[in-house]
Every structure is written in C-alpha cells, then in structure tokens.
Amino acid sequence: MTIEQCKILKLTKVHEVRGSLTFIEGSNHIPFDIKRVYYLYDVPDETKRGKHGHEKLQQFIIAMSGSFDVVLDDGQNKKTFTMNRPSYGLYVAPMMWREVINFSHGAVCLVLASENYDENDYFRNYDEFMKKVKENKV
Ligand code: TYD
C-alpha cells in the first residue's frame, strides 16, 4: 500500500436555495463495503486523534462540520489532507499511520469503515507499524 492510493473523492452536492444535500450510496461511491460508521466530535483545542495504523481497515473520512487535517504516513512518505467540506471525503487505504490534527471548534469527523471495531487490527506503536511495512516489502 502506498500513500498514492489515498485520495480525496468528490461526492455529489445537490445545492439549492433551501440548502445543500450530499448522499453516499455504499456500492456506488465508496471503494469498500461499509460495515461501521463512527464520528469524532467535541474534540478539545490542540487535541490530536489517531496516532495509529491499521493492518486491514479501509476508511473514508468526511468533515461533516468544521475542519481538521489528516496526516497520512505509509512508512516512506507523508501527506497532509485538509478536510473542510462535507461534499468531499478522504479514502484511507490499509497500512497508513494517521494523525488527525488541527480540529476547528465544533468540528465533526465522520468515518466510514470497512470492518467492525477490532483492536487486533491496530498498530498503536510506530515501530511495530514500521516493522510490518518492511515485512510487507520482502
Ligand atoms: P481510537 O480508534 O483509538 O480513537 P482515535 O484514533 O480517534 O484517537 O478509539 C478510541 C476508543 O474508542 C478506544 O478505546 C476504542 C474505542 N472505539 C470503539 O469501541 N469502537 C470504535 O468503532 C472505535 C473507532 C473506537
């Protein structure tokens, strides 16, 4: 997996004088079957979330409200994605170390996930993540 596989995808925005609407049809718009949805909110100023990797999990991250930055690291390259529009989402491939930082006040970070919660899929330690990155290269 390389960071090049992680991309911002544009969702449809139905913009009317009555307001805007964006929809997601799992099989049409998301590159995996959605098994779980969770969201981060009430994040205090200066707080960083994430700081971990996943072996198999794929995610699609949307700033439903406010803004934040997602910093991805595939073990070789790092890229920062600023999320600030609810009609765009970030596809996160497996084996990416991530940090979610710079939450604006009141930001809501929605995450669509390819698997149910499984602590065994996490790398909580960067050195262990890097060890797996190197093993996968052999
Ligand atoms: P974690 O994934 O570490 O959050 P973040 O990366 O945003 O800092 O999860 C924080 C806590 O919430 C941890 O104790 C596990 C729990 N959790 C669940 O029980 N189910 C879930 O779907 C998620 C994402 C987390």
Side-chain angles (χ1 to χ4, degrees):
M1 292 296 159
T2 74
I3 212 149
E4 302 310 321
Q5 289 163 282
C6 300
K7 286 191 165 54
I8 300 265
L9 303 178
K10 190 178 190 308
L11 300 163
T12 302
K13 179 174 175 179
V14 184
H15 181 64
E16 301 182 22
V17 282
R18 297 180 299 152
S20 299
L21 179 152
T22 290
F23 54 90
I24 297 172
E25 292 173 350
S27 53
N28 284 333
H29 304 121
I30 306 297
F32 54 81
D33 286 340
I34 302 162
K35 276 211 185 144
R36 175 169 55 117
V37 175
Y38 66 92
Y39 33 100
L40 300 169
Y41 53 99
D42 290 347
V43 178
D45 287 351
E46 311 292 324
T47 302
K48 295 182 177 182
R49 302 288 312 220
K51 289 186 151 196
H52 58 69
H54 286 282
E55 184 168 7
K56 296 205 177 80
L57 191 72
Q58 301 173 74
Q59 292 173 311
F60 190 79
I61 300 177
I62 304 169
M64 298 303 280
S65 184
S67 64
F68 49 83
D69 293 331
V70 182
V71 185
L72 297 181
D73 172 0
D74 65 7
Q76 278 197 311
N77 295 298
K78 270 192 188 184
K79 227 170 169 176
T80 299
F81 298 88
T82 296
M83 308 304 298
N84 55 15
R85 281 184 284 188
S87 55
Y88 287 80
L90 172 64
Y91 169 70
V92 182
M95 289 304 293
M96 296 295 145
W97 188 265
R98 86 284 316 279
E99 284 189 16
V100 190
I101 60 173
N102 296 333
F103 282 90
S104 68
H105 187 71
V108 180
C109 170
L110 178 78
V111 183
L112 311 180
S114 64
E115 307 296 334
N116 286 342
Y117 175 74
D118 176 9
E119 187 59 38
N120 292 323
D121 187 63
Y122 279 74
F123 295 96
R124 296 280 185 189
N125 175 290
Y126 190 75
D127 292 341
E128 280 169 25
F129 169 74
M130 281 308 299
K131 198 170 150 213
K132 187 68 180 175
V133 167
K134 284 174 190 151
E135 272 173 33
N136 287 348
K137 283 212 158 45
V138 180

